[in-house]
Amino acid sequence: VMASMAHLQKEKLQLQEELLGLQEKLAARENDELSLSLQLQGQVETLKAKLLEQAQEIGRLRSELGGTDVEKHRDLLAAENERLRQEMKACEGELRELRRQQQAPCRDCSHLQENAGLREQLSQLQREAEEARAKLVELDLEVQQKTNRLAEVELRLKDSLAERAEEEERLSRRLRDSQETIASLKSQPQQIKYIIKTVEVESAKAKQALCETQSRNQYLQEQVGMQRQVLKEMEQQLQSSQKTEAQLRAQIMMYEAELERAHGQMLEEMQAMEEEKNHAIEEAFSRAQVEMKAVHENLAGVRTNLLTLQPALRTLTHDYNSLKRQVRDFPLLLQETLRSARAEISQAIEEVHSTNRELLRKYRRELQLRKKCHNELVRLKGNIRVFGRVRPITKEDGEGPEAANAVTFDTDDDAVLHLLHKGKQVSFELDKVFPPQASQEEVGAAILTAGMRRGCGHLPLTLPCHSQVFQEVQALVTSCIDGYNVCIFAYGQTGAGKTYTMEGTAANPGINQRALQLLFSEVRGKAADWDYAITVSAAEIYNEALRDLLGKEPQEKLEIKLCPDGSGQLYVPGLTEFRVQSVEDINKVFEFGHVKRVTECTNLNEHSSRSHALLIITVRGLDRSTGLRTTGKLNLVDLAGSERVGRSGAEGSRLREAQHINKSLSALGDVIYALRSRQGHVPFRNSKLTYLLQDSLSGDSKTLMMVQVSPAEKNTSETLCSLKFAERVRSVELGPVSRKAELVSWPSQEHLEVTKGLLGDSPGSAATPGRGHASHSPGQLSGRSASIRRKLQTSG
Ligand code: ADP
Ligand code: MG
């Protein structure tokens, strides 16, 4: 800042010097100008005086009317004019010089342009003056001519005057002579009279001559007047040229004034610049002072900071020294602490080990106990459940009385439904009945929870909240994961909704997908301790032939064989298994199976209603902590249509199909009946279906039968058959295990058809046969079945 200030000071001095120089120059220029203007004023004054003189001369000339002096005056005036012109030229030259000198220093001034403009004006004025001068010359010439003529006229006038004087002299002389003669003649009257007469004649002549002379005189005087007029005009011209000269002078004066003004402005500007410069210097100085002040303040702050930091530094060094000491001592301390910690940890590990061992032992015991309890529970409560589902009336049912609704429900008991058949109401009781408005979700949840909840009441149709749904849903799937086998069947006539319940639609999937989804989520939940592998197979039983729906050769008939390991398990050699890990995988598998089925048969709907479709899901688990292995199977079966084919008319392949379906459905009924009544012999081998599902139906497996019914009036006879089948499966009472029940064969499909006539007579006995009876003796049981048989026989 100091340096910049010094620099500025130096600059200021320099500028001041420059200013002084300029001022001096200006003063000199002013002096010059003053002297020049004085000179010019003097010249102007002399010019004025001369002009006055001329005017006087002109006045004098005017007063003198004599023509002889006019010439002299004109010469004089011309000479004077010439001289004045010379003087004016000199003045202009001087003025130009002066202007040039003035223009030189302010080359960059804005007045330059103005000056140029003024110069142009001046040159124009000069041109005008030149023109005026030319005119003057012309006028001079004219004056010359006029004076010449005037001189001539004057000469002539002189001559004529002289002539007239002579004539007058002569005439007066003659007059005198004549008067003398008259006087002499008076004396001589005769002679006189004659003489008078001659004189009279002669005087007339004289008179004429006089007149002529007078007229001539007149003419000459007119000429003189004209000449005077011309002179006057010339004077006027002279006056106008003098006026222009005066104008020019005034302009010159104006230019001078302007010059002066420009000079004044220049001075003012210079002054303003000077002031600005001073102001800038002052400002810079004050700024520098303020900055200096701030720097000083900062310095003071830093000083105080330094003063306060010194004690902190002292404490820091102190701390550092103590830390250093501590660091030196730290390894020893650490070793000691580590030793003690290690000892403590090993002791704790020992303790944990022993507790773990104890816990494992307890866990295994609990596991066994649980399995035992579960088996006992299943044994006590039975593991076969029957649900009914009524589909809504659809467009396919048509219109009119045929499509009227024939099924109603009990408002207080969701296990009861009433069917109006041929004007009579028949009631049935199952484990649960789903009305048409039940959603896939509700049905799925209820079915999948069925395994463990028999006798614990029924699920409400609208489930309160999701967490509860989840808890309820877990049971069936959990038991599959725990290693139990599960079978879910969909039974009913074609069009009653079997496939809808099992497969569902893409937007609203059925049990198949929901069960698998649940399996996945359950398995994920147990992933911390268990490894699980889930595989899927799809098969079809048509005309008692088993075919692989996922295999490369679907036409190939598969065999069911006993496992060679002696476990008594069955297996199907060649049945394709797909490992699935996500819902996407399942969808792919389903798609694959579906495509296979579609390409294999010409009419899928027809074919699917004449065959049983099986989806077999196998869950294999390994407990990583205990090494325990489990295998559970979930069999989802969409059964063939249960409707009876008219005995007359059906022949060939259609008849064979009907026979096979009838046989396999009857066999399924037989097996379930035998299982529920705990008979020693269960006729699994009577059909491919029961034989294949043997290990999933027996033991502590769980079975769920979903009986599908149509509510339409036209289907009531088939509906009746299906519901009777359902009730019969359900109504088999469980006795103690030890009891040997007699083998009672199930009525065949045809027999079911026949019984419908009977039901009208005693709906109560057929609809609710002995629900809640704890036990039957073998005699009672056989008696009841005998009575059924009897009824069948009488009606058949
Ligand atoms: P099935 O497999 O027993 O022959 P489907 O499952 O093919 O019968 O059902 C026949 C028709 O009825 C289908 O169009 C199906 O969508 C419809 N359907 C069945 N059950 C229901 C239901 N609960 N809600 C709505 N539509 C249904
Ligand atoms: Mg179907």
Side-chain angles (χ1 to χ4, degrees):
V1 168
M2 295 301 266
S4 72
M5 262 173 64
H7 186 67
L8 280 167
Q9 285 285 355
K10 212 184 279 175
E11 258 183 16
K12 186 187 165 187
L13 278 173
Q14 217 172 321
L15 281 167
Q16 272 171 344
E17 271 169 22
E18 273 176 19
L19 194 71
L20 276 173
L22 278 169
Q23 274 170 347
E24 272 168 19
K25 269 186 202 169
L26 206 69
R29 184 74 36 85
E30 267 173 356
N31 281 341
D32 280 359
E33 260 177 68
L34 208 71
S35 61
L36 251 166
S37 64
L38 275 172
Q39 217 176 317
L40 280 168
Q41 268 176 355
Q43 280 176 356
V44 167
E45 221 78 318
T46 51
L47 279 168
K48 268 183 195 162
K50 272 169 197 167
L51 211 66
L52 214 75
E53 269 174 34
Q54 249 179 345
Q56 279 167 1
E57 194 76 30
I58 286 162
R60 202 165 51 78
L61 270 167
R62 247 184 231 144
S63 63
E64 280 177 14
L65 278 166
T68 45
D69 289 339
V70 168
E71 206 179 280
K72 213 164 37 184
H73 275 299
R74 197 235 330 132
D75 286 344
L76 222 95
L77 270 171
E80 188 67 43
N81 231 0
E82 188 61 33
R83 197 176 56 79
L84 276 171
R85 232 176 267 151
Q86 294 285 331
E87 264 179 313
M88 202 160 87
K89 250 184 216 162
C91 275
E92 275 170 2
E94 272 175 321
L95 201 66
R96 233 177 279 138
E97 178 67 19
L98 193 67
R99 256 177 225 150
R100 198 159 39 75
Q101 278 178 358
Q102 258 183 348
Q103 270 168 10
C106 60
R107 202 153 287 161
D108 303 326
C109 185
S110 66
H111 300 293
L112 214 76
Q113 288 178 347
E114 217 175 308
N115 267 356
L118 288 171
R119 236 176 269 146
E120 219 166 88
Q121 276 184 14
L122 191 69
S123 63
Q124 204 179 332
L125 286 169
Q126 277 170 353
R127 269 200 298 281
E128 276 172 28
E130 207 77 47
E131 275 169 32
R133 251 172 250 144
K135 252 186 178 171
L136 205 65
V137 169
E138 250 172 59
L139 285 170
D140 278 348
L141 262 171
E142 222 172 290
V143 168
Q144 191 94 33
Q145 281 172 5
K146 293 272 163 76
T147 36
N148 284 350
R149 261 170 67 193
L150 197 66
E152 236 171 74
V153 170
E154 273 171 1
L155 267 175
R156 253 191 276 161
L157 193 68
K158 259 183 209 164
D159 287 351
S160 61
L161 278 171
E163 244 171 74
R164 204 180 68 180
E166 229 170 82
E167 194 76 23
E168 270 176 18
E169 186 84 28
R170 202 164 46 87
L171 281 171
S172 56
R173 216 169 3 341
R174 268 177 79 179
L175 197 61
R176 245 179 286 125
D177 286 349
S178 310
Q179 278 168 343
E180 277 169 15
T181 338
I182 289 164
S184 63
L185 279 173
K186 263 170 187 174
S187 47
Q188 311 162 358
Q190 270 311 325
Q191 216 185 348
I192 287 168
K193 269 182 191 172
Y194 172 73
I195 291 166
I196 287 169
K197 266 204 183 136
T198 49
V199 166
E200 271 174 357
V201 170
E202 277 179 12
S203 81
K205 270 187 199 165
K207 264 180 192 168
Q208 203 183 341
L210 192 68
C211 270
E212 268 175 31
T213 325
Q214 272 175 345
S215 68
R216 191 123 179 239
N217 204 0
Q218 189 90 27
Y219 169 75
L220 282 169
Q221 268 177 353
E222 271 171 18
Q223 285 270 320
V224 168
M226 263 163 65
Q227 289 303 321
R228 263 184 207 141
Q229 195 79 26
V230 171
L231 199 69
K232 215 180 255 172
E233 274 174 20
M234 276 168 69
E235 269 170 17
Q236 272 172 2
Q237 277 179 359
L238 196 71
Q239 257 175 353
S240 77
S241 74
Q242 274 167 355
K243 220 183 268 171
T244 10
E245 200 188 304
Q247 272 176 1
L248 284 169
R249 286 238 168 77
Q251 272 185 354
I252 287 163
M253 295 277 271
M254 210 167 70
Y255 296 153
E256 277 171 2
E258 230 160 82
L259 263 173
E260 215 153 316
R261 201 149 40 81
H263 180 71
Q265 269 182 3
M266 201 171 79
L267 273 179
E268 264 171 32
E269 273 168 27
M270 271 171 82
Q271 191 128 8
M273 268 162 70
E274 176 76 5
E275 269 167 23
E276 241 171 66
K277 191 188 75 191
N278 285 347
H279 187 67
I281 286 165
E282 264 167 38
E283 231 172 57
F285 185 68
S286 60
R287 236 194 346 252
Q289 268 182 339
V290 168
E291 272 170 25
M292 277 286 276
K293 210 173 187 177
V295 166
H296 273 302
E297 272 166 17
N298 268 355
L299 198 71
V302 167
R303 254 184 216 143
T304 51
N305 272 354
L306 218 65
L307 282 175
T308 53
L309 275 174
Q310 265 167 359
L313 189 73
R314 260 200 295 282
T315 53
L316 272 176
T317 37
H318 181 75
D319 285 358
Y320 173 71
N321 285 336
S322 68
L323 271 174
K324 224 170 164 181
R325 267 198 302 283
Q326 277 180 12
V327 166
R328 222 179 295 130
D329 301 343
F330 184 68
L332 288 172
L333 210 75
L334 190 73
Q335 269 176 2
E336 211 166 293
T337 322
L338 272 175
R339 246 200 312 280
S340 67
R342 256 189 222 127
E344 268 172 41
I345 287 168
S346 56
Q347 201 184 333
I349 287 170
E350 199 62 39
E351 274 169 27
V352 165
H353 262 306
S354 62
T355 327
N356 251 3
R357 270 196 294 276
E358 180 66 13
L359 278 173
L360 207 66
R361 199 177 53 77
K362 277 183 185 166
Y363 171 68
R364 286 211 178 107
R365 217 181 53 207
E366 283 301 316
L367 215 68
Q368 271 177 347
L369 207 68
R370 193 184 141 196
K371 186 139 185 166
K372 234 162 99 186
C373 283
H374 179 79
N375 288 346
E376 188 63 17
L377 198 76
V378 165
R379 197 182 58 77
L380 284 170
K381 293 187 174 173
N383 52 6
I384 298 169
R385 307 207 58 208
V386 183
F387 286 178
R389 187 180 190 184
V390 183
R391 73 154 165 81
I393 298 267
T394 61
K395 266 188 225 150
E396 284 71 44
D397 292 326
E399 277 172 19
E402 284 221 312
N405 180 34
V407 176
T408 48
F409 302 89
D410 197 309
T411 44
D412 300 322
D413 192 347
D414 66 358
V416 174
L417 110 173
H418 314 288
L419 175 73
L420 195 68
H421 178 59
K422 294 197 172 160
K424 284 187 182 150
Q425 183 166 304
V426 197
S427 300
F428 293 92
E429 184 174 355
L430 308 175
D431 289 313
K432 184 173 173 66
V433 174
F434 293 102
Q437 64 269 23
S439 70
Q440 293 281 72
E441 203 172 355
E442 281 170 34
V443 173
I447 287 170
L448 295 168
T449 59
M452 303 289 281
R453 292 183 54 83
R454 187 184 173 115
C456 305
H458 302 286
L459 272 180
L461 274 183
T462 46
L463 294 157
C465 70
H466 277 295
S467 62
Q468 197 175 339
V469 172
F470 188 69
Q471 269 181 3
E472 303 287 346
V473 164
Q474 278 181 355
L476 238 179
V477 167
T478 311
S479 64
C480 185
I481 291 168
D482 287 344
Y484 296 104
N485 293 338
V486 177
C487 274
I488 300 175
F489 296 101
Y491 179 96
Q493 73 173 112
T494 300
K498 295 186 295 295
T499 309
Y500 185 81
T501 295
M502 298 310 282
E503 287 176 19
T505 57
N508 209 358
I511 294 165
N512 291 4
Q513 264 219 31
R514 284 172 203 274
L516 273 161
Q517 274 178 12
L518 200 64
L519 265 180
F520 284 131
S521 73
E522 286 288 298
V523 161
R524 262 201 302 279
K526 294 176 91 175
D529 309 310
W530 287 79
D531 285 329
Y532 281 107
I534 300 174
T535 54
V536 177
S537 300
E540 178 188 76
I541 296 172
Y542 176 68
N543 281 351
E544 286 302 284
L546 179 65
R547 300 193 306 136
D548 186 2
L549 285 179
L550 304 176
K552 285 191 182 106
E553 285 176 51
Q555 288 303 333
E556 192 188 351
K557 288 180 187 173
L558 298 177
E559 290 302 318
I560 303 159
K561 294 203 168 147
L562 209 68
C563 259
D565 59 1
S567 63
Q569 294 263 316
L570 292 171
Y571 84 110
V572 182
L575 183 67
T576 313
E577 274 195 343
F578 277 119
R579 178 148 185 198
V580 288
Q581 275 164 323
S582 66
V583 179
E584 287 77 55
D585 291 351
I586 303 164
N587 286 337
K588 267 182 222 159
V589 170
F590 284 175
E591 186 77 10
F592 186 68
H594 196 66
V595 169
K596 273 270 151 75
R597 234 176 155 194
V598 169
T599 49
E600 290 307 314
C601 27
T602 45
N603 188 339
L604 177 66
N605 244 353
E606 179 104 327
H607 176 82
S608 69
S609 72
R610 312 311 313 157
S611 62
H612 311 297
L614 293 100
L615 183 72
I616 304 158
I617 303 160
T618 313
V619 185
R620 293 186 181 89
L622 167 67
D623 186 344
R624 281 197 293 272
S625 62
T626 59
L628 188 77
R629 280 180 191 279
T630 61
T631 304
K633 257 200 267 183
L634 179 61
N635 303 280
L636 302 156
V637 190
D638 185 355
L639 290 168
S642 63
E643 66 273 13
R644 297 135 302 154
V645 181
R647 265 168 295 176
S648 59
E651 47 187 30
S653 65
R654 198 84 182 85
L655 187 65
R656 234 183 78 203
E657 266 180 8
Q659 283 169 345
H660 281 304
I661 293 163
N662 187 30
K663 187 184 154 202
S664 59
L665 289 178
S666 298
L668 182 64
D670 285 345
V671 164
I672 292 174
Y673 181 85
L675 283 168
R676 283 200 69 154
S677 55
R678 308 213 184 282
Q679 290 168 4
H681 173 70
V682 183
F684 290 115
R685 284 173 176 269
N686 282 0
S687 79
K688 268 264 154 58
L689 182 69
T690 46
Y691 188 43
L692 178 67
L693 296 175
Q694 182 175 344
D695 54 355
S696 296
L697 289 166
S698 56
D700 44 16
S701 307
K702 299 167 177 65
T703 299
L704 190 134
M705 180 69 73
M706 187 75 172
V707 178
Q708 295 283 149
V709 295
S710 155
E713 173 66 43
K714 65 175 176 187
N715 296 126
T716 47
S717 54
E718 284 300 337
T719 305
L720 199 70
C721 284
S722 297
L723 286 170
K724 278 197 283 181
F725 176 87
E727 207 168 48
R728 255 184 228 115
V729 172
R730 200 184 151 265
S731 64
V732 180
E733 282 306 317
L734 298 166
V737 190
S738 58
R739 202 180 62 194
K740 277 270 180 198
E742 132 193 38
L743 177 87
V744 179
S745 181
W746 268 63
S748 71
Q749 293 285 304
E750 278 137 276
H751 286 146
L752 279 172
E753 177 192 349
V754 167
T755 49
K756 71 183 178 196
L758 274 170
L759 287 160
D761 305 330
S762 56
S765 65
T768 53
R771 192 189 191 210
H773 291 277
S775 64
H776 285 290
S777 69
Q780 277 175 311
L781 194 75
S782 63
R784 202 167 67 86
S785 46
S787 86
I788 294 170
R789 247 190 215 152
R790 213 171 30 249
K791 278 180 194 168
L792 292 172
Q793 276 159 6
T794 45
S795 66

